[in-house]
């Protein structure tokens, strides 16, 4: 089942938390990115099965990164992560092709549920 997942979040502790949840449940973390530009670079380099992408990041936000990845690979699976109160951005992300979204602060169960739904 080792699905390769790319984690994109500007907060190192968030990446660490997500990585911990995923690896404990049999997923492989292919890489990490701390901003949208790096996320696009890493996606093209690693071709992960799934991307967990924060919306609010420096350099390029998660929605721009999502659109860029989708323009290169329309079949890309991306789950967005956002803080409370970003409904408009979440809607834009879903319309731009995100498969699901997780609201921060998140529960491990919710992260796993979203990941399973998208990549099995």
């Amino acid at each position: 089942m080792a699905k390769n997942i790319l984690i994109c979040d500007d907060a190192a502790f968030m990446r660490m938390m997500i990585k911990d949840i995923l690896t404990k449940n049999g997923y492989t973390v292919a890489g990490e990115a701390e901003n949208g530009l790096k996320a696009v670079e890493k996606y093209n380099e690693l071709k992960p099965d799934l991307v967990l992408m924060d919306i609010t990041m420096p350099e390029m936000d998660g929605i721009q990164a999502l659109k860029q990845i989708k323009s290169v690979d329309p079949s890309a699976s991306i789950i967005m992560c956002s803080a409370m109160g970003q409904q408009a951005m979440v809607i834009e992300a879903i319309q731009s092709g995100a498969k699901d979204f997780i609201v921060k602060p998140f529960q491990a169960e919710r992260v796993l549920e979203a990941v399973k739904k998208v990549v099995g």
Side-chain angles (χ1 to χ4, degrees), residues 27-59:
Y27 294 96
T28 302
V29 173
E32 297 180 24
E34 64 279 1
N35 63 52
L37 282 176
K38 287 262 191 298
V40 174
E41 264 172 43
K42 292 267 188 188
Y43 184 86
N44 293 329
E45 178 192 321
L46 302 168
K47 301 282 186 267
D49 300 307
L50 175 67
V51 180
L52 285 174
M53 177 102 63
D54 186 21
I55 288 181
T56 315
M57 292 187 290
E59 310 279 335

Side-chain angles (χ1 to χ4, degrees), residues 77-92:
S77 294
I78 302 171
I79 296 175
M80 303 304 286
C81 304
S82 77
M84 293 297 285
Q86 292 182 317
Q87 280 84 348
M89 289 175 138
V90 167
I91 290 164
E92 186 183 349

Side-chain angles (χ1 to χ4, degrees), residues 43 47-51 66-78 96-99 118-119:
Y43 184 86
K47 301 282 186 267
D49 300 307
L50 175 67
V51 180
L66 162 76
K67 288 176 179 172
Q68 270 205 328
I69 290 170
K70 282 294 205 177
S71 72
V72 175
D73 180 2
S75 67
S77 294
I78 302 171
S96 300
K99 300 270 195 242
V118 177
V119 293

